Amino acid sequence: MENTHNFISPKTNLIGIGAIKDLPNELLAWKLSKVLIVTDKNMIKLGYVENVEKILKSLLISYDIFDGILHPNPTVSFVEDGLLNFKKKWNVFRRSYKLIISIGGGSNHDCAKAIAVVATNGGSIIDYEGYNKVTKPAIPHIAINTTAGSGAELTMFAIIADNTRRVKMSIASPFITPFISVNDPIFMTTMPKEVTASSGIDVLSHAVEAFVSTEANPSTDSLAIGAIKLVFEYLPRAYDNGNDLEAREKMMFANIMAGMAFNNAGLGYVHCMAHQLGGFYNQTHGCYNAVLLPFVFEFNAVSIPERRIMQLCEAMGTITQNRAQAVELIMEAIKDLSARIRIPGRLREMGLDERDIEMLSENALKDISSFTNPRQGFIDDMIGIFKAAY
Ligand SMILES: [Fe+2]
């Protein structure tokens, strides 16, 4: 019986305190002439972009900077603004940039992926919504990550908001996986508390959804369980003290492990629903996940084998021999961790208007992450989960 599992990740992952120092060696071999840096103004203010500029200058590589990612839910118009760099008068050839370097969190990496795809494939990023719609390789991309995290620096997914339809599109293709990811905790110490909290709980939601996914396998399981243990131990520490480099480093590893797990096992309804909320109300992705995760887990629980529920329970630091109690304990553990890092407990606190629930539910069921959710639901199930989390 055929049962294959492709494992997709960047070709090289530079990981650890000081990892950025290895970047020049990687770039040297490429004989690059021109690079586009994709980032936001805050990254420039923090000096992170300057760090990379120094590296490029030392290698005599010319570059332009696109800093037009204006908020954490990148839109089609941000992608189009970034693509204008390819059309400026000194860029007669659309492929004049040989490399894109994104600096920042998931929003910046996702926007860079979308720019890289359209630059070589043409059309609009809307044309590539869904799974495997990209037909040609994107411009090579190096993602320098500053959060822990969306996992976007090492995944084949880009999430872009289409404001005209008020939906967040998922674009999934191995062609858009960054060529190199850089995870150096030095770039993470300035992450504000709220970003530490929301991106840290996003890591947890990636790991839990990958673990219960229909495409989970032993390699993604070990990454997911490892990530869950790290999040429960180190996220409160990273939240309390951003300069705790050990906690930052452990959360960086949790982000990488959960990112690799979901890149290869897929996600589920938490992300289907959070994507829609992000498209409608433009608030932080991780916070939506935090609120939805216990309720989606409760819905999914009947379809998750008992042994796996017990494994999850243990990874979150509690043990019981009773299945029903284990489900309760998992839900409580997620809610307690969210409360500990001051994430709001209800969707209504994050802008959800009850009148939008039906539309959001319809769109959530169309999201590609729904395919790997362990229990397939209908519109009324989605509405029920939204209402429970309201
Ligand atoms: Fe996420």
Side-chain angles (χ1 to χ4, degrees):
M1 187 185 75
E2 272 189 22
N3 186 19
T4 60
H5 299 280
N6 295 349
F7 195 94
I8 294 165
S9 86
K11 181 178 167 290
T12 303
N13 298 283
L14 304 179
I15 300 169
I17 299 167
I20 190 68
K21 292 192 181 117
D22 293 332
L23 189 60
N25 278 343
E26 295 292 331
L27 291 172
L28 208 52
W30 288 32
K31 296 190 171 51
L32 289 163
S33 52
K34 196 161 188 186
V35 167
L36 179 65
I37 295 175
V38 174
T39 191
D40 63 72
K41 290 187 171 53
N42 191 41
M43 293 294 117
I44 294 174
K45 205 165 74 189
L46 290 169
Y48 294 163
V49 175
E50 196 184 345
N51 280 354
V52 177
E53 286 182 84
K54 279 181 189 161
I55 291 172
L56 294 175
K57 281 176 186 164
S58 74
L59 298 171
L60 304 176
I61 299 169
S62 69
Y63 60 88
D64 294 314
I65 299 173
F66 168 64
D67 63 359
I69 301 164
L70 307 177
H71 57 67
N73 289 300
T75 64
V76 172
S77 68
F78 295 179
V79 176
E80 284 168 0
D81 289 349
L83 282 161
L84 289 177
N85 283 274
F86 290 79
K87 294 172 185 163
K88 284 180 180 166
K89 61 178 184 297
W90 59 86
N91 270 335
V92 180
F93 304 106
R94 274 172 70 81
R95 295 192 64 178
S96 55
Y97 295 110
K98 303 292 183 206
L99 174 75
I100 290 180
I101 299 180
S102 57
I103 306 166
S107 314
N108 298 7
H109 305 318
D110 281 359
C111 196
K113 288 173 184 177
I115 292 169
V117 160
V118 180
T120 55
N121 284 262
S124 157
I125 192 60
I126 298 170
D127 302 334
Y128 306 104
E129 181 180 7
Y131 186 69
N132 265 349
K133 299 278 173 62
V134 179
T135 55
K136 293 185 213 160
I139 289 181
H141 172 198
I142 294 177
I144 300 172
N145 194 35
T146 62
T147 64
S150 68
E153 76 283 3
L154 39 80
T155 68
M156 58 174 170
F157 298 94
I159 310 297
I160 303 291
D162 179 357
N163 285 346
T164 54
R165 288 181 292 153
R166 291 183 85 191
V167 294
K168 267 192 160 184
M169 304 181 292
S170 294
I171 298 123
S173 164
F175 282 138
I176 64 171
T177 307
F179 198 74
I180 297 176
S181 76
V182 182
N183 270 293
D184 186 335
I186 297 290
F187 285 83
M188 297 168 186
T189 53
T190 52
M191 227 193 305
K193 260 183 168 4
E194 358 25 292
V195 180
T196 302
S198 63
S199 59
I201 214 83
D202 193 20
V203 172
L204 180 67
S205 67
H206 295 155
V208 172
E209 291 219 286
F211 187 73
V212 303
S213 156
T214 55
E215 287 296 313
N217 60 69
S219 56
T220 56
D221 283 352
S222 59
L223 290 164
I225 289 292
I228 292 167
K229 288 179 181 169
L230 287 172
V231 170
F232 273 86
E233 189 168 352
Y234 291 101
L235 179 53
R237 262 177 64 179
Y239 177 80
D240 288 342
N241 175 11
N243 292 316
D244 182 339
L245 214 51
E246 187 194 2
R248 290 292 197 196
E249 189 182 27
K250 299 290 191 204
M251 280 305 298
M252 175 202 71
F253 276 110
N255 163 56
I256 292 167
M257 292 157 77
M260 287 192 175
F262 90 78
N263 199 38
N264 294 288
L267 292 165
Y269 283 171
V270 173
H271 275 76
C272 297
M273 300 169 85
H275 289 160
Q276 307 320 315
L277 290 163
F280 252 63
Y281 310 113
N282 202 24
Q283 291 193 28
T284 319
H285 167 73
C287 293
Y288 291 130
N289 286 342
V291 179
L292 289 163
L293 187 56
F295 297 103
V296 172
F297 186 79
E298 186 177 36
F299 171 77
N300 284 337
V302 292
S303 301
I304 304 170
E306 181 167 322
R307 182 178 52 83
R308 294 177 75 75
I309 289 181
M310 296 309 179
Q311 275 177 281
L312 271 180
C313 206
E314 201 182 325
M316 293 181 185
T318 51
I319 294 177
T320 172
Q321 300 305 319
N322 180 293
R323 180 192 172 103
Q325 195 185 18
V327 173
E328 288 294 322
L329 287 172
I330 288 166
M331 291 175 64
E332 283 311 309
I334 297 165
K335 287 179 188 172
D336 288 350
L337 180 62
S338 298
R340 166 76 173 75
I341 55 174
R342 297 186 183 278
I343 288 177
R346 290 279 156 190
L347 293 178
R348 60 174 171 266
E349 297 170 61
M350 287 182 264
L352 174 59
D353 183 332
E354 241 182 327
R355 291 167 298 183
D356 295 333
I357 285 178
E358 197 169 333
M359 160 92 69
L360 292 164
S361 300
E362 281 171 16
N363 290 339
L365 280 174
K366 292 178 200 156
D367 190 290
I368 55 170
S369 293
S370 66
F371 303 144
T372 44
N373 195 68
R375 181 181 172 195
Q376 288 304 302
F378 298 95
I379 181 85
D380 287 345
D381 298 313
M382 287 285 129
I383 291 171
I385 298 169
F386 270 124
K387 285 191 171 168
Y390 180 74

